[in-house]
Structures are given as structure tokens and as C-alpha cells.
Amino acid sequence: MVAVMDAVTARACANIALVKYWGKRDALLNLPAAGSLSLTLAALATETTVQFDEALEDDELVLDGKPADAAETKRITAFLDLVRAQAGIPIHARVTSRNGFPTASGLASSASGFAALAVAATKAAGVELSGQELSVLARRGSGSAARSIFGGFVRMHTGTASEDAYAEPIESPLAERIRMVVAVIGGGTPKLHGSRDAMDHTAATSPMYRAWLELVPKDLAAAEAALGKGDLERLGAITEANALAMHASAITARPAVIYWRPATLAVVEKVRGLRGCGLAAWATMDAGPHVKVLTTADDASTLAMQLRDLDGVTAVTISAPGGGAVVVEGDR
Ligand code: PMV
């Protein structure tokens, strides 16, 4: 008889780093060279369904309604192999994943994708893991996915080995009033340099990389202190400066990794101008052209309205903090 296990669907939200992860110390185990700190966003969610089925000869992946290419499927198979090893089952799986935002465009789809996959695949394989263990597993898929297991503000630990390189949520008096405005630039076209290759290339060739690694622990300590005190001004200043430092290291890699488009800088300039006029607004950018702006519930709509008018900005979304990754269907 052919065994088909129950399908399980999980939902996870993307997160945006306020102190970035940019560089690995171990490529195989996907261990970060330094810690990081992020905010999980309710508006950027991924839903992933996993079903293990003995009738399958290989893993199958359908991404946003289309069969995925060989490279994408290979990455999912490598991840599912970890789950199969933990569950002691040799069975292939059918994986269906849907993003509520543009995939592979620097909007952190790998974070929500691998967090949702970790939760759905372990549940579907009958493996019970703690939040910490799920975070370790999700990290193997993508470093930032370790943070999407949890909601709100999240701190990623460097760890000393694989088991203690996990994320955990941080409480802050800012959690209620914080918002992020996401300005999509250029219609969410696929990014030119994947973050994995780009961070390795930066580490190998940028004369600024050492300075970046020295900066991160300082920014982390200051950001955590600001979160503890509810000091938004301080958190915002660290967020914007840290993103610019990460990009400085990428831009000075040889050859250069430049994620910004002219509209990226137009948004950054606007954000800085509005801040000068008293609005709570601090910009951050990742491995793509989009700008995410840290702000408050009070200022988010004014800010969104101002950014929508800029040339090259194709969509603007306001997001509240999101929750952690959860099973939404197939819980047994
Ligand atoms: O998780 P990865 O391998 O896609 O790397 C994420 C890198 C950044 O988004 C640029 C920074 C971060 O901390 O999320």
C-alpha cells in the first residue's frame, strides 16, 4: 500500500532586519558571522502546504501557482532532507507555496518561505519541534528565516554551534505603535544578485567588510537598549545607519553589488526630508531596490501618501508587526 500522509499548511510573515545579517561564518550550516535584529511584518505573509507521498519519485514545488525551476526545487529538497532525517522517513513531498508579495525581489520571501516550510514540513512529517528548534531548522534554509519563526521584534543569536544559532522574540514598549511602510520600486522585478552569493562576495572582496563586522555587535547592543527603553528615535537612527553600512560594504565589493535604483535614493531622500519636518521615519533597504520605512501608527498614512507620489514607486503598503509562524490547516 502507498502511504500518503496528511497535508499541512503553515503561514509565516516576512521580517525586515533593523540590524542586518550580511555574511556567514559557515556556508554549509548557514551560520551567521554576526547577530541581527528584525521586525516581523503582518502584511508580507507566505502560506505553504506540504504533503509527503510515497507515490512521488522526487519532491515537487509549485511557487505562486507555477512549477518551480530545478534550482529552486533543489534548495527545497536539501531542506526537506533535513526534515526527513529528523523524522526517519524517506518519502518525497509535494510543496505548494504562495506569497502575498513579489517573490525574490528583496522583499524577504526566503524568510517567510523557509519559516512556513519548516513549520509545515515538520508537522506533516510528524516531528514536534520547539520554537527554538524550528528557528534553527529554518536557518538552514535561509539565515533570515530563523527570525520569521517569531512575531514582533526578534533577535538572532550568532551562537557557538548550529544548535544555539537561533532567534528569539524581544519584548518592547514600542511593539504596539511601530509600523513599517514598504515602498516597492520597479514593480518587484527579480533581483540581480541573490543575497547568499552577494554576502559571500562582499565578505571575500570588500575592504569595508571587516568594519561592517565590527559595527554589528555595537548596533545590536544599542538597538536592544533602545527597544528596552521604548526609544524610537534611537532605534530609527540605528536602523537607517546600519542599512547604509551594509550597503556600503556591498557597494565596495569588487565587482560592486549595487541594489539601489534611482527611485531607491529618491525615497531615502524623501524620508530624510520628512523626518526633518517632524515625521517619525527611518529608511532601510535589503538585497533589492525597495525601501522599508520604520514609522509609527500615527505617521504611517501621511508617509505612505508622500511616498506613493514619487516616480518609480509602484506600490506602497503599510504593515503592522506580524505574529510568529503557525499551522493554519491540517493540525492533528
Ligand atoms: O536570509 P538571506 O540569506 O536571504 O539573507 C538576508 C539578507 C538581508 O535581507 C539583506 C538582511 C537581513 O538580515 O534580512
Side-chain angles (χ1 to χ4, degrees):
M1 210 188 81
V2 175
V4 184
M5 300 173 76
D6 288 346
V8 175
T9 301
R11 183 193 308 122
C13 297
N15 69 77
I16 300 300
L18 310 182
V19 177
K20 307 291 183 191
Y21 152 56
W22 195 247
K24 301 181 200 298
R25 70 178 195 279
D26 182 315
L28 184 70
L29 291 172
N30 220 12
L31 289 168
S36 55
L37 193 150
S38 60
L39 178 66
T40 301
L41 296 188
L44 306 183
T46 298
E47 274 200 14
T48 300
T49 305
V50 177
Q51 184 169 37
F52 289 94
D53 183 347
E54 264 188 354
L56 295 174
E57 288 185 4
D58 277 308
D59 295 318
E60 285 178 9
L61 171 64
V62 175
L63 209 50
D64 289 326
K66 288 183 231 112
D69 64 27
E72 285 163 334
T73 310
K74 203 172 148 208
R75 208 169 154 194
I76 298 302
T77 289
F79 187 83
L80 289 173
D81 284 344
L82 301 171
V83 178
R84 282 187 277 259
Q86 292 201 20
I89 53 166
I91 313 173
H92 290 112
R94 196 175 292 115
V95 177
T96 317
S97 191
R98 201 167 274 284
N99 287 301
F101 53 95
T103 310
S105 62
L107 273 181
S109 58
S110 70
S112 51
F114 278 105
L117 183 63
V119 171
T122 49
K123 197 82 185 173
V127 181
E128 284 291 334
L129 296 185
S130 66
Q132 203 165 297
E133 288 164 334
L134 281 168
S135 179
V136 166
L137 176 64
R139 189 202 76 228
R140 298 290 298 273
S142 152
S144 55
R147 302 185 309 238
S148 272
I149 294 295
F150 303 104
F153 293 107
V154 178
R155 163 79 200 263
M156 176 75 196
H157 297 284
T158 323
T160 55
S162 187
E163 314 80 69
D164 61 353
Y166 56 80
E168 64 187 353
I170 311 177
E171 287 191 12
S172 168
L174 292 175
E176 286 290 309
R177 66 183 182 113
I178 203 84
R179 292 292 180 276
M180 211 165 236
V181 173
V182 180
V184 175
I185 284 160
T189 45
K191 59 188 168 191
L192 292 174
H193 316 273
S195 52
R196 186 173 286 247
D197 290 345
M199 63 175 80
D200 288 351
H201 174 66
T202 301
T205 68
S206 170
M208 307 294 170
Y209 184 68
R210 188 186 289 265
W212 162 252
L213 283 186
E214 280 169 18
L215 174 75
V216 174
K218 294 177 197 152
D219 277 354
L220 277 175
E224 280 203 71
L227 278 175
K229 284 195 215 127
D231 186 345
L232 180 63
E233 298 275 322
R234 183 90 185 101
L235 181 71
I238 296 161
T239 297
E240 193 171 292
N242 184 270
L244 293 172
M246 177 206 117
H247 284 273
S249 75
I251 287 168
T252 49
R254 298 179 181 203
V257 175
I258 305 176
Y259 287 113
W260 300 346
R261 307 276 289 271
T264 308
L265 280 177
V267 173
V268 171
E269 197 179 352
K270 188 77 184 174
V271 164
R272 291 166 73 92
L274 290 169
R275 191 162 77 231
C277 299
L279 228 66
W282 295 270
T284 183
M285 292 78 73
D286 293 283
H290 319 298
V291 184
K292 299 94 182 190
V293 188
L294 197 67
T295 186
T296 58
D298 286 346
D299 287 350
S301 20
T302 311
L303 184 64
M305 218 165 59
Q306 295 277 343
L307 300 185
R308 247 176 224 126
D309 284 345
L310 296 176
D311 273 352
V313 174
T314 49
V316 176
T317 306
I318 299 173
S319 185
V326 284
V327 169
V328 289
E329 221 178 282
D331 210 353
R332 279 169 289 168

